[in-house]
Amino acid sequence: MSHDDFNFEPIKGLPEQLPEGEHILWQGAPDPRLLAREALGVRWVAAYFALLAFWRVGVSAADVPFGIAIMHGVPFVISGLVACGILYGIAYVQARSTVYTLTNKRVAMRIGAALTMTLNLPYTWIGTAKLDLKPSGHGTLAFELIGETRISYLMSWPHVRPWRMARTQPALRCIPDAQNVAQIFAEAAETRISEPRIERVSQQDGSNAVAAE
């Protein structure tokens, strides 16, 4: 019997029901393999252990037959496979626990494997969005926040733009069909920001008036 760790959510990926007038435009999650490569550096780890194995074989070949020297490199190959397997496992767990959501009013990111949290980013908080598109069609859509909004890099990693620590940029990492998702975001954000904001203000005589911004 399968168990859903997030069956308490009233809507998948969201901690509560959407307010009236808000609706979901898109939902998705990172690709685990690409997350392992881009966020966890699995290729660099594999290259590191491969280099160690070649070095060990080269050193041993100076003293023993080549067939035996190759065997001296096997422990490094095994260690590399184990390390890469762990990283792929972490990426899978991260991807499985992540839900990215675009609504007509905000970006919502349910992230975190051990400590789950939801980031809510109204479009009015986002200054610019940058798309890093890969030939496969996957990509990362990062958001540059404006105003006083601050987000912890460590708490949000790996769902952030790499190396932007002073001013963290939350990101939809390694998502499929990234070009289409970026288009959905752009249209929704443009529509939302162009909407007039209605506020009720008090007059000096005690009556109320409605002002549009």
Side-chain angles (χ1 to χ4, degrees):
M1 180 180 296
S2 61
H3 175 69
D4 184 0
D5 293 332
F6 301 99
N7 59 7
F8 59 88
E9 295 176 333
I11 300 177
K12 177 184 176 182
L14 299 172
E16 58 188 13
Q17 294 287 347
L18 292 175
E20 184 178 354
E22 185 175 6
H23 56 272
I24 294 174
L25 302 175
W26 172 87
Q27 282 191 319
D31 181 284
R33 293 176 300 172
L34 290 179
L35 192 65
R37 295 174 192 171
E38 296 186 16
L40 303 181
V42 69
R43 287 182 172 176
W44 290 102
V45 173
Y48 171 76
F49 280 98
L51 184 62
L52 287 179
F54 279 116
W55 171 80
R56 188 66 182 91
V57 170
V59 171
S60 297
D63 300 320
V64 299
F66 188 70
I68 297 177
I70 290 179
M71 297 301 297
H72 290 175
V74 170
F76 294 95
V77 174
I78 295 175
S79 297
L81 291 174
V82 171
C84 290
I86 292 174
L87 292 177
Y88 273 114
I90 294 174
Y92 173 80
V93 172
Q94 284 283 352
R96 184 179 179 276
S97 62
T98 298
V99 178
Y100 300 139
T101 304
L102 296 182
T103 76
N104 58 320
K105 295 185 178 182
R106 59 178 158 156
V107 179
M109 303 166 60
R110 185 244 275 163
I111 59 177
L115 180 61
T116 302
M117 64 178 182
T118 301
L119 298 180
N120 287 298
L121 308 174
Y123 292 136
T124 52
W125 289 10
I126 300 173
T128 60
K130 298 181 180 180
L131 175 63
D132 179 15
L133 186 63
K134 305 300 182 183
S136 63
H138 291 75
T140 292
L141 184 62
F143 307 107
E144 185 175 352
L145 304 181
I146 58 178
E148 299 300 319
T149 304
R150 293 291 188 274
I151 293 177
S152 169
Y153 187 94
L154 293 178
M155 291 291 291
S156 305
W157 185 89
H159 311 279
V160 292
R161 187 180 181 190
W163 311 114
R164 297 299 193 278
M165 298 182 182
R167 185 75 173 180
T168 302
Q169 297 183 17
L172 311 184
R173 293 295 299 269
C174 306
I175 53 175
D177 198 14
Q179 182 70 59
N180 182 54
V181 176
Q183 184 64 33
I184 294 173
F185 163 79
E187 293 176 355
E190 183 178 3
T191 300
R192 177 59 177 167
I193 293 173
S194 64
E195 289 181 352
R197 187 175 61 185
I198 307 299
E199 291 186 351
R200 185 175 296 277
V201 296
S202 298
Q203 302 294 314
Q204 292 183 350
D205 59 4
S207 60
N208 292 325
V210 174
E213 295 184 357

